[in-house]
Amino acid sequence: MMRRRVVALATTALTGLLAVGVPQSPAAAADYYAGTRGKSGEALKEALHDIIATHVTTLKYRQVWKALGETDRDPAKPHNVITLYTGASMPWSQHGSGSSMWNRERVWAKSHGDFGIAPGAGTDLHHLRPEKEPINSERSNKDFDDGGPTADTAPGNHTDDDSWEPGDAVKGDVARMIFYMAVRYEGGDGGPDLEVDDATSRDERPRIGRLSALLEWNAEDPPDHFEQNRNEVIFQHYQHNRNPFIDHPEWVDSIFGTARR
């Protein structure tokens, strides 16, 4: 499936983004993932956890506002951010809890693991994205899956009682954020032990689904330049770790596909 971020971004914005180019860093090279060579499945998951959980800088929740202004910057309007589910461009300064503002959308809902806004899972930029407050509220703590009527606040997205289906342009982004969280947070550093399963539920267990849909979304919607650039900014300027599934989306099936087979 071809990505359609052009629906959300003006042609000039897309052109500007492509002109910037993704910075190349040592982390983007093979050396960053040297510990994964020859591994697959659970062994690969463990190796990636060791890599992305080591030498990480954690942010305080109030610092996330500023960081999102850089990670999700609209290349055509540098004082704006691009929201996740609708691709809207909004002034960075227009953040807060009001109905006309954007807020910090936790893609892995904080109630699924009860990690709140504490440094670590609660402030990890790899799953925090700008989104309009009404959309943030309608998605709430729902899992991810296909289906449901059109969301009231977000055309192109669908929702029912316990799940949210984002638009095609960001389905892979959402999937890779969820898979990152499940590898990054294994409970060993005082944080939650997060898992992906093949169910939808709004309970408070440290899990989220639906695995089968997320696997399909990762395959159908590969990383684009915006997502790759975001990964690089987080690594270079903020947390100093990467989402490995943006660099290597094929690793998703190696680690999580076995659970479906």
Side-chain angles (χ1 to χ4, degrees):
M1 180 182 295
M2 295 295 292
R3 292 184 67 90
R4 305 203 178 274
R5 197 178 294 276
V6 291
V7 173
L9 300 177
T11 301
T12 53
L14 183 61
T15 301
L17 181 59
L18 293 173
V20 171
V22 178
Q24 295 300 307
S25 73
D31 286 350
Y32 185 71
Y33 298 113
T36 67
R37 291 186 183 123
K39 296 180 180 178
S40 62
E42 189 64 26
L44 176 58
K45 182 182 180 183
E46 292 175 1
L48 287 175
H49 170 77
D50 290 344
I51 292 168
I52 66 177
T54 302
H55 305 304
V56 177
T57 298
T58 56
L59 280 66
K60 295 180 180 178
Y61 197 49
R62 67 175 180 272
Q63 294 175 303
V64 171
W65 293 121
K66 178 179 181 295
L68 292 179
E70 185 174 356
T71 61
D72 294 80
R73 177 178 292 141
D74 181 346
K77 298 180 179 179
H79 297 294
N80 283 22
V81 294
I82 299 295
T83 62
L84 174 61
Y85 298 124
T86 62
S89 179
M90 298 184 66
W92 173 85
S93 59
Q94 196 175 323
H95 60 69
S97 57
S99 61
S100 63
M101 297 181 170
W102 66 267
N103 209 331
R104 296 156 292 192
E105 160 72 353
R106 303 170 192 85
V107 176
W108 190 296
K110 65 179 181 179
S111 65
H112 288 268
D114 194 28
F115 51 75
I117 59 173
T123 64
D124 196 315
L125 293 172
H126 284 296
H127 86 116
L128 290 169
R129 300 290 294 267
E131 189 47 80
K132 294 178 181 178
E133 174 60 28
I135 299 174
N136 181 291
S137 296
E138 187 176 7
R139 186 260 157 155
S140 186
N141 67 342
K142 296 173 183 176
D143 287 11
F144 295 100
D145 197 7
D146 292 309
T150 299
D152 292 335
T153 60
N157 296 254
H158 296 81
T159 190
D160 56 23
D161 289 342
D162 60 7
S163 71
W164 181 270
E165 179 187 353
D168 291 344
V170 294
K171 282 180 175 176
D173 307 50
V174 166
R176 287 179 284 275
M177 285 186 273
I178 293 297
F179 292 130
Y180 161 87
M181 292 292 283
V183 172
R184 168 66 180 88
Y185 296 98
E186 297 279 28
D189 55 1
D193 183 2
L194 303 179
E195 298 293 342
V196 187
D197 62 25
D198 203 34
T200 55
S201 171
R202 300 186 71 172
D203 62 36
E204 295 184 358
R205 290 177 296 157
R207 42 73 53 207
I208 211 163
R210 177 180 302 262
L211 174 62
S212 53
L214 294 168
L215 287 169
E216 290 175 1
W217 296 354
N218 174 66
E220 293 171 352
D221 177 31
D224 68 2
H225 192 99
F226 190 93
E227 192 180 358
Q228 292 166 337
N229 185 72
R230 190 175 194 279
N231 197 27
E232 195 69 40
V233 171
I234 293 171
F235 172 75
Q236 293 281 9
H237 301 297
Y238 291 99
Q239 294 180 186
H240 311 298
N241 73 341
R242 305 180 70 81
N243 181 337
F245 304 115
I246 296 174
D247 295 325
H248 290 277
E250 72 277 9
W251 284 346
V252 167
D253 197 58
S254 176
I255 295 172
F256 296 97
T258 56
R260 190 176 57 170
R261 290 194 274 269

